[in-house]
Amino acid sequence: MKSPLLNKLSKTFWSKPQFNWLLLCLVSVLVVIALLGSSSSSAFNSVTSSVKPDIYTNYRKLKEQARSDYLELKSLSVGENQIKDVGLCGKERENYVPCYNVSANTLAGFKDGEELDQHCELSREYQYCLIRPPKDYKIPLSWPAGRDVIWSGNVKLTKDQFLSSGSIMKRLMLLEENQIAFHSQDGLIVDDVKDYSHQIAEMIGLGSDTEFLQAGVRTVLDIGCGFGSFSAHLLSLNLMALCVGAYESSGSQVQLTLERGLPAVIGNFISKQLPFPSLSYDMVHCAQCGIIWDSKDGLFLIEIDRVLKPGGYFILTSPITRQQGRSTSSKKGSMSTPLEEITKKLCWSLLEQQEETFVWQKTVDSQCYTSGKQGMVPLCKGEDMQLYYQPLARCISGTGSNRWVPILSRSGSLNSTELKVHGVHPEDFFEDSGFWKSAVRNYWSLLSPLIFSDHPKRPGDDDPLPPYNMVRNVLDMNAHYGGLNAALLEASKSVWVMNVVPLGVHNTLPLILDRGFTGVLHNWCEPFPTYPRTYDLLHGNGLLSHLASQGCSIIELLLEMDRILRPEGWVILSDKLGPIEKVRMLATQIRWEARVIDLQNGSDQRLLVCQKPFVRK
């Protein structure tokens, strides 16, 4: 364990190498004093028995720490383990997303839209450099102001692209000088979204969209979400709405949605399944999302059926659908179109059609899929509990799962019976919940003085005005049961959490989704599907030890974390002392300000708290 002396000196040592010899001399003097003190102590102990044994033991530990510090500083002073700062990437990588290289994918033979998918399996040249922010980048406004106004220089969106945006949700924003304003609290525009949401509620059979929760709708997957206006409204109704959109090299809806502090992730199911298990969401929504749903004999609709829970809803708003549909004046009847034929095979019921909007409901009767009707989609063999970018499957999944429970039959929280369905002992679950309640209090007490006071002046900016609470987007890199998410909600923190379940651990993602949270499966040996600078806080409990067992590169992981972390963002890692110390050394290499915190509980666990600086050059 590092002594307090070394912890205090290490930051100065790394940032000012010209003082290395001075520090070496200082520690050498301390070691000589300690050794002389040890000899004097031995002589003194030989003539008196009044010295308490525990004092000698503590002193011996201090002497051993001083000797260890001396040897480490000596090795560093002569160049061993010398750490150099990682350089900055070129300007062309300001919005770089690994694994999404359309030209390289095309050269590799991918076509028919597959070149737009994620292809980490292709060899890629890894550059050990830090993604720099754009020239006009500014720290986002704090929540909730940042939901309604963002800096246009923070996202890759030109004025021409802005004006050509076709989605109804994309049109609900105004370009004003160096800002993009959404005016969520401003009359006409917010009414457009509210009216649309209210229309969907009425089509489902509800009196108002405030009754979505009563209808069993807690989680919504918004495909091609424009720029998040509908998702923002759903969040105001206490629904968890996740935007999933295709990668765009210019003008990204996912990047802009995350910039607003709203949940979003890059996802494209042209050829691969979405990174969710079956029976994940209560509602799936698409408003002019650009997908031709009846193509490939309904393969995309089969994927929607896979992630929908029994009794869940599919909402589709599109002029193309209206052209395919029947007259808007009719309420029920036959559409006699390929889209209708496919939805019948999926055991969906068309509840209503109004103008360009259609609402289907998935059956709650799992036997419907085995009724023997001609042309029914076959059942999948086995379950898809560990799916990770598998090819789209032309079969129905989830019907044999113990999680086949209609959305109206689900409670707001998991009871003991539901926990056992997920293979979790209730005692372990509630013990985990208690741990995270305490952890969140500790995290906030650690970060609050750093966030709310002594806030650093940003390059080129005037002194910031309060409040300084900038934590909104949180990425839990090893979510386990989703305990951090639950504790943050219970503590009334205005944050949302992307819960990640790494490959190679017990897959708890179905449990997390059934709790009403959002999350994905991910292999942390690969980059995460998001744009640079999209998270305010990265958290990982036990992640380092897990990745070491998987053979992942820790330095590549840290560079990826730096890519997706906004300037002045925070990292909290909890692990054993060995991995923590290794990462602390590497953190200085990528310019993070890092401090190790002893939990003072006698365990080998440590916290590493880091902050990413605002670096332009």
Side-chain angles (χ1 to χ4, degrees), residues 448-468:
S448 292
L450 303 172
I451 294 175
F452 289 98
S453 65
D454 298 327
H455 197 280
K457 182 178 178 181
R458 298 161 187 148
D461 288 355
D462 295 329
D463 291 333
L465 299 175
Y468 304 134

Side-chain angles (χ1 to χ4, degrees), residues 293-295 297-298 301 314 316 320-327 330-351 353 358-361 373-377:
W293 291 102
D294 59 359
S295 63
D297 295 327
L301 289 171
F314 178 53
L316 177 59
I320 298 177
T321 311
R322 181 183 180 183
Q323 294 172 7
Q324 292 178 343
R326 50 190 169 10
S327 169
S330 61
K331 294 295 183 181
K332 293 184 181 292
S334 175
M335 291 171 59
S336 64
T337 65
L339 193 61
E340 182 200 26
E341 294 302 319
I342 296 168
T343 55
K344 282 183 178 180
K345 293 177 182 179
L346 295 175
C347 292
W348 292 2
S349 300
L350 179 63
L351 298 184
Q353 174 198 350
F358 291 74
V359 175
W360 285 275
Q361 184 175 26
K373 294 180 181 178
Q374 185 177 4
M376 293 291 289
V377 180

